[in-house]
């Protein structure tokens, strides 16, 4: 009996000490969404249970090693103990119910954070190798950074153009895959204004680690201001020269991730001096870079590949861009001819 009490006290002390320490070292980044509140609560509960299980195993072992160590000059065998049915039943049934209880908590939490709420703001998120694009269908806006108003539930509709990506902002806690050919939903209700980073959390190729986007959570007034500003810019660009419209298309589609504008080497031919140039192709022939060639390279990028490049141009732009947008883009590329 003395030993039972001793070991229980020992385990309780380790549990409390370890649990308090793990609680104090901030394992998680700052919390910035309403969905993260039950998730963090559940996470911390797991941590406390882990502290207890660690103490249970290590406590029994350390206590036995120290208290029941061999006495000096004792060369006899230890007592022979063969199993304990009652103990085995207890240590099977108890964890089983603990696991069931955690499964129940998981289902309740998942249901809680995925259920719709009123007045949701829909943002369509498109992942591609290796960019994020955000469309706001309510306003007809597109952006390369995710701007959100604080205190409102955002319904993110995620998809991908090529391979599986994964939408993850650590401060929001929730996470969802972006799968080609599917639209996956994720709800986030930002609670703190500030700038966060969206990271791709699914290994998706060479630049996976750099597939980032800024997430700005702003006050509703600032958000409205941003919307007005963007709409104004679109109206201005549409009324303005084709060159500016083309520049906007290039920014949204991420052209400059591969095509440089200053002649420096990139993953694809630089746009500086490209228009009007004779390019050598992989099949040994040459081609004059004119409107027709650029149009074909956008719509069917595998058809004529410039020698020295690996055919990394995505095939999606033909579907994503209108004829007018392609014409604007060609105008923009032409402006870099020498
Ligand atoms: Cu996209 Cu990793």
């Amino acid at each position: 009996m003395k030993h039972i009490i001793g070991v229980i006290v020992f385990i309780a002390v380790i549990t409390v000490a370890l649990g308090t320490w793990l609680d104090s070292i901030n394992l998680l980044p700052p919390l910035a969404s309403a969905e993260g509140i039950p998730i963090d609560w559940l996470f911390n509960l797991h941590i406390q249970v882990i502290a207890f299980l660690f103490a249970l195993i290590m406590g029994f072992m350390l206590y036995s090693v120290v208290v029941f160590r061999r006495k000096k000059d004792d060369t006899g065998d230890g007592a022979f103990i063969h199993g304990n049915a009652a103990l085995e039943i207890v240590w099977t049934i108890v964890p089983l119910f603990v696991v069931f209880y955690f499964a129940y908590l998981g289902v309740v939490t998942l249901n809680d954070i995925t259920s719709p709420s009123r007045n949701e703001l829909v943002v369509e998120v498109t992942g591609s190798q290796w960019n994020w694009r955000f469309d706001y269908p309510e306003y007809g806006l597109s952006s390369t950074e995710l701007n959100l108003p604080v205190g409102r539930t955002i319904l993110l509709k995620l998809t991908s153009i090529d391979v599986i990506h994964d939408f993850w902002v650590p401060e929001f806690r929730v996470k969802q895959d972006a799968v080609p050919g599917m639209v996956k939903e994720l709800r986030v209700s930002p609670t703190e204004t500030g700038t966060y980073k969206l990271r791709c959390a699914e290994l998706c190729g060479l630049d996976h680690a750099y597939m980032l986007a800024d997430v700005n959570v702003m006050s509703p007034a600032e958000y409205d201001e941003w919307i007005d500003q963007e709409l104004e810019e679109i109206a201005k660009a549409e009324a303005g020269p084709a060159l500016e419209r083309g520049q906007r298309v290039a920014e949204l589609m991420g052209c400059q991730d591969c095509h440089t504008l200053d002649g420096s080497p990139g993953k694809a031919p630089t746009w500086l001096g490209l228009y009007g140039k004779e390019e050598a192709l992989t099949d040994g022939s040459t081609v004059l870079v004119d409107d027709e060639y650029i149009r074909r390279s956008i719509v069917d990028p595998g058809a004529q590949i410039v020698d020295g490049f690996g055919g990394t141009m995505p095939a999606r732009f033909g579907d994503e861009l209108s004829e007018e947008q392609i014409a604007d883009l060609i105008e923009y590329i032409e402006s870099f001819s020498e």
Side-chain angles (χ1 to χ4, degrees):
M1 197 62 203
K2 189 183 83 189
H3 289 306
I4 299 282
I5 294 168
V7 85
I8 288 174
V9 170
F10 189 48
I11 288 168
V13 169
I14 303 179
T15 304
V16 171
L18 190 61
T20 311
W21 177 69
L22 286 171
D23 214 29
S24 70
I25 55 170
N26 288 329
L27 288 167
L28 298 168
L31 177 63
S33 83
E35 288 74 13
I37 296 167
I39 293 175
D40 280 12
W41 177 80
L42 203 51
F43 198 91
N44 287 329
L45 185 61
H46 275 89
I47 292 285
Q48 296 304 321
V49 172
I50 288 166
F52 168 70
L53 288 176
F54 179 86
L56 185 68
I57 294 161
M58 296 309 286
F60 260 114
M61 199 178 73
L62 288 174
Y63 189 90
S64 305
V65 164
V66 173
V67 176
F68 301 112
R69 68 185 182 281
R70 186 174 66 86
K71 302 284 177 310
K72 203 165 181 283
D73 300 327
D74 179 4
T75 52
D77 289 337
F80 182 76
I81 299 162
H82 184 264
N84 186 327
L87 195 58
E88 285 184 31
I89 289 168
V90 169
W91 76 33
T92 304
I93 300 284
V94 172
L96 189 70
F97 279 98
V98 172
V99 169
F100 277 146
Y101 180 60
F102 270 100
Y104 163 77
L105 289 179
V107 169
V108 169
T109 307
L110 190 65
N111 188 48
D112 181 25
I113 64 172
T114 52
S115 52
S117 64
R118 267 180 298 167
N119 192 27
E120 287 178 342
L121 171 69
V122 176
V123 180
E124 293 167 356
V125 181
T126 309
S128 62
Q129 287 171 317
W130 293 273
N131 290 294
W132 294 103
R133 202 183 74 230
F134 310 99
D135 293 295
Y136 298 74
E138 213 174 300
Y139 312 100
L141 273 182
S142 297
S143 173
T144 52
E145 46 186 51
L146 181 57
N147 291 330
L148 302 173
V150 74
R152 190 168 163 192
T153 300
I154 319 296
L155 173 59
L156 299 166
K157 295 192 168 186
L158 301 149
T159 193
S160 164
I161 269 152
D162 33 46
V163 298
I164 301 175
H165 303 277
D166 191 295
F167 180 99
W168 181 43
V169 179
E171 289 82 359
F172 292 165
R173 302 295 192 265
V174 288
K175 198 174 177 192
Q176 180 64 269
D177 274 359
V179 184
M182 288 174 86
V183 176
K184 294 280 210 174
E185 291 188 344
L186 183 65
R187 286 184 169 81
V188 180
S189 314
T191 51
E192 303 286 335
T193 56
T195 302
Y196 310 100
K197 267 280 185 263
L198 161 60
R199 294 163 196 284
C200 178
E202 182 73 53
L203 190 60
C204 59
L206 197 63
D207 282 353
H208 157 71
Y210 307 106
M211 192 170 160
L212 309 167
D214 281 334
V215 178
N216 304 307
V217 176
M218 22 181 122
S219 69
E222 276 177 303
Y223 177 74
D224 289 342
E225 205 175 296
W226 174 73
I227 293 282
D228 289 344
Q229 214 177 314
E230 286 293 301
L231 290 176
E232 216 169 281
E233 251 173 60
I234 290 179
K236 216 169 31 175
E238 260 161 25
L243 200 67
E244 279 174 23
R245 294 199 300 263
Q247 183 176 6
R248 203 182 151 77
V249 173
E251 277 166 15
L252 276 179
M253 295 296 140
C255 301
Q256 268 62 67
D257 290 345
C258 300
H259 300 275
T260 65
L261 297 176
D262 57 2
S264 57
K267 279 180 276 182
T270 179
W271 283 0
L272 185 70
L274 179 68
Y275 193 92
K277 188 176 159 191
E278 288 276 340
E279 282 277 37
L281 300 179
T282 43
D283 64 3
S285 64
T286 59
V287 69
L288 176 73
V289 179
D290 56 5
D291 285 25
E292 188 42 44
Y293 175 70
I294 295 175
R295 211 196 79 85
R296 197 176 322 123
S297 297
I298 293 170
V299 176
D300 184 11
Q304 291 172 298
I305 296 169
V306 173
D307 198 21
F309 295 96
T312 48
M313 172 97 164
R316 62 190 161 95
F317 300 121
D319 298 327
E320 289 209 343
L321 298 174
S322 67
E323 279 301 321
E324 293 77 39
Q325 284 178 308
I326 293 176
D328 293 341
L329 197 53
I330 294 172
E331 189 97 358
Y332 183 57
I333 294 169
E334 198 180 338
S335 72
F336 293 97
S337 65
E338 277 163 341

